[in-house]
Amino acid sequence: MNMKKWMAAAIACSALTLVACGGQSKDTTGAAPAAADPNKVYRVAMNAEFAPFESRDANGKVEGFDVDLMNVMAKAGNFKIEYKHQPWESLFPALKNGDVDIVISGVTITDERKQSMDFTDSYFEITQVVLVPQGKTISNPEDLKNLNKVGVVTGQTGDFSVSKILGNDSPKIARFETVPLVVKELENGGLDAVVSDSAVIANYVKNNPTKGMDFVTLPDFTVENYGIATRKGDEATVQMLNDALKKVRESGEYDQIKAKYFADEAKK
């Protein structure tokens, strides 16, 4: 091979190498929006026992903040969705097994959950609060130790928070399957307090003024973030959802939906 041919071959090989490497490198100008599969219907699972984020109407149809948000995201991202209501404890196994593609159900982003699933950017901030009968004083998490029974929903952030204070196997912790069930037990006098997500408890207090309940925000409970969960490693779906979420935020639709459900939320 003469020198000219050798140089030409070397340049061609270098170009091919750069192209191949470019496929692995980050695009510093920003990744192109993920294109949704036009033939796929993304199965969205939720436990519709968590108003105002998700609940069911008289006909069993899911509704709420998460539903409205996902609907406008699907429109903005040009992808199709269908909803599945199922028990909370079945949501993450269904995602892992491929029975559903997306979980949006007031899911707090945690390091532990990141080990087994992926999350979009945060779409809502909350904290844990303590729901108590009016007149009962709770000023810090340590006061929970002086109560006989504290209600939580199994596997939700309130469960984790109370377990850290009282101990995971404490007999003072009463675990229930849904927020409506644990709140009903408090109303009936079977519990001294309930710990759950701020927006959900505020919604309950606002819509049930005759129940004689109030809630307390404790400074020791940190701010948490809800995210939309996808199967571990499903980067395409995460990007598709993040692109759509960004669009509805920029268009103002996110703020409109939030105002619909939370404009009158009590400030604690």
Side-chain angles (χ1 to χ4, degrees):
M1 183 182 290
N2 62 36
M3 183 59 69
K4 289 184 178 180
K5 288 183 178 181
W6 183 88
M7 288 294 292
I11 292 171
C13 287
S14 297
L16 288 173
T17 301
L18 288 172
V19 170
C21 292
Q24 300 295 324
S25 64
K26 291 184 178 180
D27 180 0
T28 57
T29 61
D37 183 344
N39 299 314
K40 180 174 181 177
V41 177
Y42 292 85
R43 298 159 297 175
V44 181
M46 59 179 55
N47 174 235
E49 303 281 356
F50 203 60
F53 290 95
E54 41 266 327
S55 57
R56 288 179 291 173
D57 64 17
N59 298 316
K61 184 178 179 181
V62 295
E63 61 182 4
F65 176 85
D66 284 351
V67 177
D68 287 5
L69 177 61
M70 184 58 69
N71 286 340
V72 297
M73 285 175 59
K75 183 177 180 180
N78 194 31
F79 57 89
K80 301 173 184 177
I81 54 176
E82 64 180 20
Y83 294 104
K84 294 182 66 179
H85 160 66
Q86 55 192 76
W88 168 264
E89 64 271 14
S90 73
L91 293 176
F92 302 146
L95 184 63
K96 182 178 180 180
N97 295 336
D99 296 327
V100 300
D101 306 298
I102 296 167
V103 171
I104 181 168
S105 194
V107 181
T108 302
I109 302 171
T110 67
D111 289 337
E112 181 179 358
R113 286 174 176 160
K114 285 180 180 179
Q115 300 302 310
S116 58
M117 65 193 79
D118 288 335
F119 284 97
T120 63
D121 297 334
S122 170
Y123 71 90
F124 204 91
E125 285 188 356
I126 55 97
T127 188
Q128 297 301 298
V129 297
V130 184
L131 178 67
V132 292
Q134 290 177 354
K136 185 177 287 292
T137 302
I138 299 289
S139 58
N140 62 71
E142 290 296 308
D143 288 341
L144 296 177
K145 294 180 178 179
N146 300 322
L147 304 180
N148 292 320
K149 284 290 182 182
V150 180
V152 298
V153 176
T154 302
Q156 292 190 357
T157 309
D159 186 1
F160 303 147
S161 299
V162 175
S163 294
K164 289 180 180 179
I165 299 167
L166 302 182
N168 186 63
D169 298 323
S170 172
K172 292 188 174 185
I173 301 177
R175 294 180 171 90
F176 294 78
E177 292 183 1
T178 66
V179 170
L181 286 177
V182 70
V183 169
K184 177 59 69 176
E185 186 68 11
L186 179 64
E187 292 174 353
N188 293 337
L191 300 171
D192 298 303
V194 167
V195 177
S196 190
D197 293 22
S198 53
V200 174
I201 295 302
N203 180 72
Y204 161 78
V205 171
K206 184 185 78 170
N207 291 315
N208 296 275
T210 63
K211 298 294 185 180
M213 297 291 171
D214 201 355
F215 68 95
V216 181
T217 299
L218 302 180
D220 303 70
F221 288 147
T222 59
V223 173
E224 300 154 354
N225 292 278
Y226 286 165
I228 305 171
T230 68
R231 237 177 330 277
K232 189 68 178 176
D234 188 359
E235 297 177 1
T237 300
V238 172
Q239 186 180 337
M240 178 189 76
L241 293 172
N242 276 336
D243 291 338
L245 179 59
K246 181 179 179 181
K247 287 179 180 177
V248 300
R249 284 188 183 278
E250 291 175 345
S251 70
E253 291 175 287
Y254 177 91
D255 290 334
Q256 293 172 11
I257 296 170
K258 189 173 182 181
K260 173 183 175 182
Y261 289 96
F262 301 106
D264 298 325
E265 179 179 320
K267 302 297 182 182
K268 293 284 179 173

